[in-house]
Structures are given as structure tokens and as C-alpha cells.
Amino acid sequence: MSALDEVDLHLVEGVGDVLNFEDWLQRGPMRHGLMAIDTETTGLSRRTDHVRLLQMGDGTDGWAMAWDRWSGLLVDVLTRFNGTILMHNAPFDQPMIAKMGVEIETSRIQDVLPLVKMLEPHLPAKLKKAAARHVDPQAGSAQKELDAAIAKLGWAGVPIEFEPYWMYGALDPVLTFLLRQALQEHVREDEAFQHGYDVENSVQWILSRMTDKGIPVDVEYAREQREKITRYSATAYDWCVKEYGVKPGSNAAVVERLMRDGWEFAKRTETGAWALDKEVLEEIDHPLAQTVLRRRQLDKIGSTYLDHYIDHNREGRVHPSINPMGARTSRMSVSSPNFQNLPRVSEDNPAATIVRNCVVAGQGKVLLFCDFSQIETRLLAHLSQDPGLIGAFHLDEDFFVTLARQVFKDPTINKKDQRRNAIKTWVYAKIYGAGLEKLAKTLGMSTAEMRQFDDSITAAYPGIRSFQLQIQTLAIRRAREEGVPYVVCPMSGRRHVADRGKEYALVNYLIQGLAAFFFKKKLLELDAAGLGEYMILPVHDEIILEVPVEQAQWAVQILIDVMNDADTFRVPVAAEVSYGYRWGEKKDWSTWSD
DNA sequence: ATGAGTGGCCAC
DNA sequence: AAACGTGGCCACTCAT
């Protein structure tokens, strides 16, 4: 029998329905202090759209109510009910409901979406898909009929009385309720998981506030720079066509033209075409190649960043969306634009300075930056428990210099030494799960040399290899016994699941995932310490704030106190603070004078 | 026109 | 024995 056969779905249309609804409310949610809520809205924009239908439910009943018609009742119920509210993707629904006049305290909300992502990071987390796995295979089966109607009439055009619309609306809170129940079974006793879930469930609201606050941008400056780029791009395009009969954006055409001028190509793309990437173009001393490269770089910057600064901002601020668990490791991701991948400022990249300098603190404010140093390497030391690595992080000198001196038994090695650099590359390769071949190539060694190098480092820090081995063995065993190759994060209790045959990647998932989780915990601490309203953007292991100048000193002290942490792991975690009025002009905090 | 796939490139 | 991880997003081509 299908789990949903027992469920009753209702559309509240008259007084009789209201009485039945009230009866259910008393028997169920009010008594158990638990219910699920969902909304159907006119669209997806938090700013311009609103709630059309609000649905409530538990494991047995789902109720759909048109907001316009029943707003009085709905406001009353939402205010009266003070138990726990389950939602799926609460950062979407809660603000929508708040817009309608009811502010549900976020501390009472338990979002089921993070629960799904923590347990099944490799599977679709959408409500209907997840419910199809855990509640009833039929959970999403009649979606097609609704989709067809939506395609014809648009979201806001489907009448509320249209059965597939309200029924599937009313079903959603029921699925949310049952999905949560099913998943909780697995983790009820799991303390780490409960902690992990708490963090994920809470940190969403801090991130959501960052999106609302937005990033301050110098729109005039962005516009000037964009115009320059557009002019250059058009000129370069015309020039390529006129001089070489080639469109600079067409790689195939450019390669063909360059071949005619006698240039030879060696590197292929994945599908076998001649590669024409930055590396290749830089090697070709030909005006066409150089123009293609320069135009490509500038166009990318103009369209990917500057356009967002100019077109998608309100009152000088852009509002990127932040996905709290965007990556399979539950790292956060940022989009529209992706502020986590602004080009870094370096000598040979003046355009990067432009992109970063468009971000500018408002009047009387300053940007603060606080980032962990070498967090992933520290976590490698912590997780592998290798005594040598742990010891090296307790010394007051450069970590990789220490390693190089130990491995090569040469105390004169300094920061500029090639061997220090090689070890650093080696360590990161281990964190990423690179193989010997790949590593040899990056370091420009032969495979034989690499093997020797690898052996000598491994001999000094045997914990790394045994850690990798242990993870893989565990994952492979779990795949055999439970069908899925996974490991569990010791701090958050979340699962990391490998693609089959890529169990080695779990080492990276654990490190990256633990770093991401630890960072989220720190965001919560910073919020609790009073910095919540100033945080504007997370960048993996760095938090950016916009703070009134008078409060900078105070904020920095909190950052230093919170982000430095000697107690949590087997190695201390260190953080660094810098500041700047523009992002591209970041300076060390020690140079601050007010 | 729209969408999927490809190639490319930026960050941590 | 052997495997460099996670993302977003753009211009382009080729298909419908």
C-alpha cells in the first residue's frame, strides 16, 4: 500500500472547511507542537512576488488556503501556533510569509532541505524527489498535469481551484512532514549530526541577511570601466575580421587561421579539438593570438562582473544569492554574480583590480576581511593525526619551511627554497587527491623522481598515507555492505558520498567539508558576538564585513577573538585580519590608524 | 528563440 | 593500481 493513500488533502473554501481545519489544528499541531508549512507564490522573486496559497499539514492531512481570501485566519493561526514549524527551503518561504505580515521566528523553523543534503549529498534534494525516495514513490507523479497547466497559463494564471494546483500544494507540507520523520529515524541518537543540523539550519538566516544587505558597489566607476571594455572589444572584433577574416570568439576559426600562418598546435581539448586556451595563446607570438586573448579576458570581466554591478543593483548595492550548501561538500556557493571568484589582484592582471575596486565601502564605513590561514592543511594534520604535521603547526615558523627542513634534513632551508615550494605543492596535491603522474607533471619531475620524493615525505609523515588508506577502505566496505561509498564528518555528522571508483576523493570531501562546517560555526559565533549586521559576504574561508569606521577597532577585536581558535582541533586555527575602503586595496590590519 | 553541450577561466 | 577537489558562468556552436 502506498504511504500517501491515507492522507487527506483539503482546499478550504467555506465555513465548514474552516471548522474542520480548526479541529485538525487542535488535534494535531497544537497538541504535538509540530506542523509543516509551505507556500505557492506568484513567482520566485522575493522582492516583487507574493504568497498566493499557504499550505499547512502533518502526517495525515494537508490544507491549502488562498491567502487573499483567508488572510485573517492565516495570520491568526500563524500567530497562535508557537510550536516547531517544518519547511523545505525555509529561506524562501519565511521571507515571503513575512512580507504578508507574519514574521515567523527563525528559531522555531526546522528546514528539511539541509537534512536531506547532509544525509544524501549525492542525490536530488528537491522535496518531491527526496519524498519519492523516503515517503512514497508516487510523491511527484502527477506533476506533469500541473506543469502543463503552468506552461499554458503561467504560475500566477493557474486558478487556485484547479485541482492539481491546490492538491499538490496541499501535499507539500505533508511530504515535508513525512520526509523529516523518515530521515530523523536515521539520526535521532546521533549527537554530532544533531549539532551539524543545528548549525546548517541556523546559519542560513545569517547568509540570507547577507543577501538582503548586499555588496556596496561604485556604480559610476563600474559603468565607466564597462564602457571602455565594450569599446575595446568592438574595435578588436572589427580588426580581427578585417585583417584576418576571423571572428575572435570562434576558437576553431582562429586556430585554422593561425595554422595557415604556420603555427603548430599540440594541446587538445577533451573532445579532441585543438585547444586555444590562455596557456596556448600566451605562447603564440602573433597579433591575432594576442588580440584574441586580451579581448577574451576583458569581455569576461565586463559581462561576468561589471554588468552585474551596473544592471542588477538597487541603491548602489548588488544582492548576490548565497546557497548555504551549494557544493556536495556543503561548502557555500554564491551567484549573480559569483563574488567568490573575482579575479585576484596581481601585477599582470590590471583588470582584476578594476573588478575588485568596484566594491567600495559606503560613506563613513570600511571593509574588513578576516580569513583563516592554511585551514585545509591544518585540517589534514588534525584528521590524519600525524604527529609530525601536528608538531609543525605548533612551531612559530613557516609550516612548509619546517616540513622541508625535516624532510631534507637541512636546517638552512628558507621560504624561497625550491624544496619548500615542492613540499607545499605536494601537500596540496594530497589534499586534492592528485596522483603521482599529475603531481610529477605539476612539479616538472619525472615519475621516478616523483616516486622518490613522495616516499621521502611519506616516511616523515606516515599519517597522511594511512589516513587516505583508512578512508578508502572504509568507503569501499560501506559500498559493499550498504550500497553507498560514504564517510561521516566527525564534527557535523554529515555524510560525504563518493562517486563509484573515486573513493580517493573522500579525503578531499572530508577536509573541504570540515573546513566549510567549521567556518559556518564561526559565522554563528560572530553573529552572536554582535557582528551579524555587518557581515556581507563569505568566501570559503574568509568573511567580509562592512563596518562604520568608529566601530572597526571593536569589530576587529571580535574577529580576532572568535576566528583564532586553539581548542577545537589538534592544531591551532589562525586567522588574519585586513581592511580597505575598496576590495582591491586590501591592507594588513597592523597598518590601520584612525 | 531556446536549450544542451563544449571550451574556457575565475576563485578557494 | 590509480584517481588533483569544490563551485559559477560566460561565449560559442549546433540542435530543435
Side-chain angles (χ1 to χ4, degrees), chain A residues 223-237 295 298-299 302-303 306-307 310:
Chain A
R223 188 166 293 146
E224 273 169 35
Q225 298 301 324
R226 183 36 161 150
E227 278 165 13
K228 265 196 213 168
I229 287 175
T230 306
R231 276 198 301 274
Y232 169 81
S233 180
T235 310
Y237 184 96
R295 180 177 177 274
L298 289 172
D299 264 351
S303 55
L306 301 187
D307 284 350
I310 297 161

Side-chain angles (χ1 to χ4, degrees), chain A residues 251-273:
Chain A
N251 287 0
V254 172
V255 168
E256 198 195 345
R257 186 63 185 74
L258 289 169
M259 277 178 158
R260 255 203 287 147
D261 278 6
W263 294 92
E264 288 174 8
F265 290 78
K267 188 175 170 186
R268 301 270 187 180
T269 68
E270 224 173 83
T271 49

